[in-house]
Amino acid sequence: MKKLALILPLFALAACGQEAAETPAPAETVAAPEPVESLAAPDQAYFTEKYAEQCPDAEPVNTAVCRRAGMGSPDVLCEFGLGEDEYLRNKATLTAGDGDWTFANPEQVCVG
């Protein structure tokens, strides 16, 4: 009986080593999406020019900061100060058009 108790674990170990390892399925390769050409966020000089075109009677833009509204968004949010004001008290939204930026709400940009 003692011999059987010693031999039985050896058979169990030998049987474990006999199983063939499964070969992993080949990973499917997915092509990377084509990069989408997009407009860069406008800088202060560009926004100043666009604002002057839209609002010729308003005070000139003193300072402006524009950044994307979110990943994949066609809009840019701009905060700006007019005249002698160095603080970003005003806001405007620019939308990507046909290769250029346009004001999303042109009737509200010059108000204020």
Side-chain angles (χ1 to χ4, degrees), residues 28-112:
E28 292 184 30
T29 56
V30 178
E34 292 292 322
V36 177
E37 190 84 20
S38 64
L39 295 171
D43 59 2
Q44 180 174 335
Y46 183 84
F47 181 80
T48 301
E49 181 182 325
K50 276 298 215 192
Y51 187 81
E53 289 173 9
Q54 183 69 32
C55 309
D57 297 333
E59 292 185 75
V61 173
N62 179 29
T63 183
V65 175
C66 298
R67 47 183 95 78
R68 289 280 182 181
M71 288 188 69
S73 175
D75 296 337
V76 172
L77 304 175
C78 296
E79 296 177 289
F80 58 98
L82 298 173
E84 298 295 319
D85 193 0
E86 61 187 44
Y87 297 103
L88 305 172
R89 299 181 197 272
N90 306 293
K91 295 180 181 180
T93 303
L94 295 173
T95 300
D98 294 326
D100 198 14
W101 293 105
T102 58
F103 284 101
N105 49 356
E107 65 280 348
Q108 296 176 355
V109 174
C110 301
V111 178

Side-chain angles (χ1 to χ4, degrees), residues 2-41:
K2 287 185 179 181
K3 289 183 181 180
L4 184 60
L6 292 174
I7 296 175
L8 190 58
L10 291 176
F11 283 122
L13 286 174
C16 289
Q18 297 295 325
E19 293 180 18
E22 289 186 29
T23 57
E28 292 184 30
T29 56
V30 178
E34 292 292 322
V36 177
E37 190 84 20
S38 64
L39 295 171

